DNA sequence: GAGGTACATGTATTCGCTTG
DNA sequence: CAAGCGAATACATGTACCTC
């Protein structure tokens, strides 16, 4: 899914009007705003950003202790809110709490990652796998023709596991269901395939 | 050696308490 | 009352070990 712009650019003029959610005089309705986001309404996200952005930035800045990092965190948080709005379940808590949770956890992850980067020395870096462990990193290597040649050398089962896991973003359990294979087999295929791909790329 | 299980670890989310 | 925070919980993933 494409990330929505939060600065109003790239949208039609009428989408830049304040989003009122059909009730301009009532208090801000986070729940309805998330529902609108889930239905692809960018105005709802813009309204959410206008209404809660500064406060979320304050939360992120307090945790990250850095304004630029906090801005990145809030931007990432709104991308997650946009992509995950459909998965929000009102029965599990308030919409506002959900939004703040996302922001706080992104901020906490950010400072955790920062700490990890600082303690990694050269030896640690050499031990980092060449292949990504997360879908986020796919962009770093997806353009490589070599990786695809190595993928082609894998058996069909393990090859599909890798593609489902790192291209489609499926969980191990989802892959097991898709391929009709036991979960343990899928885990082993992925682990062995990553090892084989690493060796192939060396 | 391949497949499977059990346990350990990491991450995301919610809940509830404390504070200003 | 809202914000901030830590605890608790659920889920996903990784890995060691066992069986065939």
């Amino acid at each position: 899914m494409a990330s929505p712009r939060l600065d109003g650019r790239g949208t039609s003029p009428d989408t830049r009007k304040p989003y009122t959610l059909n009730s301009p005089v009532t208090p801000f309705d986070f729940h309805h705003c998330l529902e609108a986001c889930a239905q692809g309404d960018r105005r709802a996200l813009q309204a959410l950003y206008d209404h809660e952005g500064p406060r979320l930035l304050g939360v992120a800045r307090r945790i990250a202790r850095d304004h630029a990092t906090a801005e990145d965190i809030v931007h990432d948080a709104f991308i997650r809110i946009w992509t995950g709005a459909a998965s929000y379940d009102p029965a599990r808590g308030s919409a506002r709490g959900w939004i703040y949770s996302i922001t706080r956890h992104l901020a906490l992850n950010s400072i955790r990652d920062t700490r990890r980067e600082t303690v990694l020395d050269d030896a640690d870096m050499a031990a980092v796998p060449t292949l990504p462990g997360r879908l986020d990193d796919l962009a770093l290597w997806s353009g490589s023709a070599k990786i695809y040649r190595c993928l082609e050398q894998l058996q069909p089962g393990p090859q599909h596991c890798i593609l489902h896991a790192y291209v489609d973003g499926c969980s191990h359990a989802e892959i097991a269901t898709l391929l009709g294979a036991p979960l343990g087999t899928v885990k082993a295929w992925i682990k062995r395939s990553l090892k084989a791909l690493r060796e192939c790329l060396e």
Side-chain angles (χ1 to χ4, degrees), chain A residues 63-126:
Chain A
I63 295 172
R65 301 183 187 284
D66 178 76
H67 185 77
T69 306
E71 284 183 336
D72 287 343
I73 289 165
V74 171
H75 186 257
D76 286 349
F78 274 92
I79 289 171
R80 287 212 181 194
I81 290 163
W82 175 254
T83 58
S87 67
Y88 163 66
D89 180 5
R92 299 183 71 181
S94 72
R96 192 163 191 260
W98 183 73
I99 290 164
Y100 273 84
S101 273
I102 288 173
T103 306
R104 197 166 63 233
H105 278 94
L106 282 172
L108 290 171
N109 284 343
S110 170
I111 58 172
R112 242 195 321 259
D113 289 345
T114 305
R115 284 193 197 122
R116 201 174 299 149
E117 281 170 16
T118 5
V119 297
L120 276 176
D121 57 18
D122 290 346
D124 291 329
M125 292 305 288

Side-chain angles (χ1 to χ4, degrees), chain A residues 26-49:
Chain A
T26 55
F28 195 83
D29 191 332
F30 291 90
H31 185 189
H32 284 146
C33 210
L34 284 182
E35 284 183 344
C37 286
Q39 288 163 14
D41 189 341
R42 286 166 186 258
R43 290 178 305 156
L45 188 76
Q46 184 67 50
L48 195 59
Y49 186 79

Side-chain angles (χ1 to χ4, degrees), chain A residues 150-161 189 193:
Chain A
C150 292
L151 266 173
E152 283 174 359
Q153 292 175 13
L154 298 174
Q155 296 295 314
Q159 186 185 90
H160 283 119
C161 277
W189 276 353
S193 297

Side-chain angles (χ1 to χ4, degrees), chain A residues 52-63 70 74:
Chain A
E52 213 61 23
R55 271 188 281 269
L56 288 174
L57 185 62
V59 171
R61 196 165 48 198
R62 185 181 170 89
I63 295 172
V74 171

